[in-house]
Amino acid sequence: MHTRIRDGDPDAFRHLFRSHAQLVHRYAIRATGDWATAEDVVSLTFLEAWRLRARLPEEPDGAKAWLMGIAVNVQRNTNRAARRHEKALARMPAKEVVPDIAGEVVGRMADAEQLTAAKNALGKLRRPEREVVTLCVWSGLSYAEAAEALGVAVGTVRSRLFRARERLRKLAEHELRQHVDETAARWPEHLHLHRPNEKWNR
């Protein structure tokens, strides 16, 4: 299968996409905290994978780490582009913002709050720590696979993850509580706001 992909077989590449797209999307949604950006990361990751298909490892189990390495680089570039865009917008004259009240899916509200809390907490970690958390904890890669994706030693992944996990859990819990408290303060007193489940202890 990998030989066929390296030779440019579209059907074989579609099989690679079906096998790993969900994994890349889970990583992207956790890393970016935004559904639309995550979809862009997935698309760009597989476009880049097709361009670099000649570098796909021969080992049957090598595709996952190879793809996640591409996804990490795509996400880094996406972040840099977003920061440049934000700076450009900041230089423009302010315009009146019209709120978009087109129907939101109610079932996603808690997920959106949790993604916001996770993104804010991740933003307070150093980039190397953020990457090992998103790869090992949220994307399920082994230490060896994450090390291959990041181009570092396995021991480096272990030490980064050890430092990051406790900090991330505390930061995410704090961010989620703060978000819920701020939301509750904006609601009328007679409405009861349920606190979302705090899953960051997992």
Side-chain angles (χ1 to χ4, degrees):
M1 182 66 69
H2 286 197
T3 300
R4 289 170 55 196
I5 292 172
R6 288 193 297 272
D7 289 341
D9 185 332
D11 290 333
F13 191 80
R14 277 193 287 271
H15 177 78
L16 180 75
F17 176 85
R18 288 193 296 268
S19 299
H20 298 287
Q22 189 174 11
L23 172 67
V24 175
H25 186 265
R26 284 199 304 268
Y27 161 76
I29 196 67
R30 296 296 190 179
T32 66
D34 181 82
W35 299 97
T37 304
E39 291 173 1
D40 289 342
V41 169
V42 174
S43 298
L44 291 170
T45 295
F46 282 94
L47 283 172
E48 187 70 358
W50 175 254
R51 187 179 72 85
L52 300 174
R53 61 189 181 276
R55 302 181 188 178
L56 177 64
E58 295 183 3
E59 298 80 7
D61 297 332
K64 181 164 67 171
W66 180 73
L67 279 172
M68 294 307 291
I70 295 174
V72 167
N73 287 329
V74 167
Q75 194 266 329
R76 289 174 181 170
N77 292 335
T78 301
N79 277 352
R80 284 193 287 267
R83 287 195 295 270
R84 288 195 296 268
H85 181 66
E86 289 172 359
K87 290 179 180 178
L89 289 178
R91 293 192 293 268
M92 296 176 63
K95 295 182 179 180
E96 181 181 358
V97 178
V98 178
D100 180 7
I101 57 174
E104 289 289 328
V105 180
V106 176
R108 283 190 174 185
M109 289 179 65
D111 287 342
E113 291 170 350
Q114 291 168 355
L115 284 173
T116 299
K119 183 180 179 182
N120 290 342
L122 278 173
K124 295 178 180 178
L125 296 178
R126 295 187 304 128
R127 190 183 78 181
E129 293 174 343
R130 289 198 302 270
E131 290 173 349
V132 296
V133 168
T134 52
L135 290 176
C136 293
V137 178
W138 286 336
S139 299
L141 269 66
S142 67
Y143 293 135
E145 289 169 336
E148 184 176 347
L150 295 172
V152 299
V154 173
T156 301
V157 171
R158 290 179 181 273
S159 60
R160 288 178 184 176
L161 187 59
F162 178 80
R163 291 193 301 267
R165 293 183 78 160
E166 286 301 319
R167 285 194 64 208
L168 179 63
R169 179 162 49 242
K170 292 176 183 177
L171 287 168
E173 288 174 351
H174 173 75
E175 290 287 340
L176 187 57
R177 282 195 299 269
Q178 185 177 30
H179 174 77
V180 172
D181 291 342
E182 290 173 355
T183 302
R186 295 194 295 266
W187 280 54
E189 292 184 0
H190 67 280
L191 295 178
H192 179 69
L193 181 66
H194 292 282
R195 185 183 297 272
N197 292 329
E198 296 177 0
K199 300 180 179 179
W200 311 112
N201 285 323
R202 297 181 181 178

